[in-house]
Amino acid sequence: MSPNDPLVIDAFVRALESHVGIALTPDKRYLLQSRLTPLARSNSLENWPDLLQLLYGRPVGPLHWQAFEALITHETSFFRDPFHFEQLRLKVFPELIARRRRTRRLRLWCAGVSTGQEAYSLAMLLRENFPELLDWDVRILGTDIAASVLARARQGLFSAAEVSRGLSSARLAATFTATKNNHYSINSASLPPVSFETLNLIADWPDLGRFDLVLMRNVLIYFKAERRTQILSKVHARLAEDGGYLMLGASESILNDKLFRTLVLPRGVLFTNLIA
Ligand SMILES: C[S@@+](CC[C@H](N)C(=O)[O-])C[C@H]1O[C@@H](n2cnc3c(N)ncnc32)[C@H](O)[C@@H]1O
């Protein structure tokens, strides 16, 4: 069988979809070459089709997962899509804080958090704007399928290029310490607690409790419609019963409008789990 055999490529693309959820549509298959060539070479193979040939017909194991990881996009930045954070500051947090005044407890979840900038941005936003939360029980959970990005998120060490994307110099000075090699370490002790856990959105989820706010931005965009619908109904079941918020990416939209009520806001859209 030729290494370029469409059967071999299709088998890999199917395995990627069934284990990670990412649907590599025909217009995206060019990514196989750019993302898998380095992995093939580091395994002493001549090129990416040889890697797929090696994986073909084998049970999914560590080398498959390395190949899946190579196909995952981890693009993120601090305060990505700033208008989302403006809506959180102006609308969502004031309302949640008013609603939780009795229990003084807030649970926030960034699903598909990548290297952590999204979760730390939430933490900075809360600290800067809502001093009344200082003695509340506030927790921010970041989850991702990829252990490599979560290790970086936990470390909280960012390059000069990463902090230059989305962080003002005032925020950088207030929350980060310059370290060796032009990197910056986040002073997480000054922020509401942020923790990171592995979670594959298309596998079974552990009991995470319920959340007041879920950010699931720029994750579902890579998935097929059925998967998106399944995940959104699971998210719905994890939102606070009296009304939690779900925020998707700027170019994403909700599919299951039986479960969520869409709030159309000036720039950006939020969803609540309450039916209008
Ligand atoms: C493009 S990044 C978005 C990061 C961040 N949410 C943002 O908007 O800046 C997508 C993240 O989703 C994660 N991801 C992809 N498939 C996943 C899955 N099945 N379960 C959990 N996370 C997944 C990837 O590892 C990646 O870090």
Side-chain angles (χ1 to χ4, degrees), residues 20 72-77 80 112-114 118 144-146 149 199-202 217-219 222-223:
V20 180
I72 298 177
T73 299
H74 297 301
E75 167 67 18
T76 190
S77 54
R80 180 179 188 175
V113 73
S114 187
E118 189 176 65
D144 202 282
I145 191 174
V149 287
L199 185 145
N200 183 349
L201 289 168
I202 69 163
R217 303 186 311 152
N218 310 301
V219 183
Y222 301 104
F223 293 10

Side-chain angles (χ1 to χ4, degrees), residues 91-275:
K91 159 134 191 95
V92 174
F93 285 126
E95 197 182 305
L96 284 175
I97 289 168
R99 205 186 292 167
R100 300 283 175 256
R101 209 163 278 291
R102 200 181 50 77
T103 57
R104 299 157 78 82
R105 181 180 185 277
L106 280 180
R107 292 289 179 268
L108 319 176
W109 177 22
C110 297
V113 73
S114 187
T115 38
Q117 285 89 328
E118 189 176 65
Y120 290 127
S121 301
L122 275 184
M124 283 184 259
L125 185 87
L126 290 179
R127 189 204 46 193
E128 290 162 11
N129 296 284
F130 304 100
E132 65 269 43
L133 295 181
L134 267 176
D135 59 353
W136 282 38
D137 175 12
V138 178
R139 285 191 212 163
I140 302 171
L141 172 68
T143 63
D144 202 282
I145 191 174
S148 57
V149 287
L150 292 173
R152 288 209 48 219
R154 281 188 201 105
Q155 204 184 10
L157 192 62
F158 298 94
S159 68
E162 285 169 327
V163 297
S164 73
R165 295 185 60 206
L167 278 184
S168 63
S169 44
R171 276 186 174 136
L172 185 62
T175 314
F176 291 77
T177 305
T179 66
K180 286 184 294 204
N181 306 327
N182 222 8
H183 275 63
Y184 295 83
S185 170
I186 192 157
N187 304 320
S188 44
S190 66
L191 300 173
V194 181
S195 61
F196 296 97
E197 299 290 339
T198 311
L199 185 145
N200 183 349
L201 289 168
I202 69 163
D204 290 338
W205 298 1
D207 181 10
L208 302 168
R210 288 191 177 250
F211 293 92
D212 300 297
L213 169 68
V214 176
L215 267 64
M216 190 178 277
R217 303 186 311 152
N218 310 301
V219 183
L220 297 183
I221 195 165
Y222 301 104
F223 293 10
K224 292 198 289 204
E226 308 94 86
R227 291 249 186 238
R228 293 204 290 256
T229 307
Q230 282 161 6
I231 293 170
L232 288 173
S233 60
K234 283 170 81 173
V235 171
H236 180 264
R238 300 302 192 287
L239 287 175
E241 282 161 87
D242 62 343
Y245 288 91
L246 165 66
M247 182 175 254
L248 298 178
S251 59
E252 295 166 315
S253 63
I254 208 90
L255 298 163
N256 195 341
D257 57 2
K258 290 198 186 78
L259 292 178
F260 293 92
R261 179 167 62 102
T262 305
L263 298 182
V264 181
L265 295 169
R267 295 191 62 206
V269 179
L270 286 165
F271 304 97
T272 71
N273 69 338
L274 296 174
I275 298 163

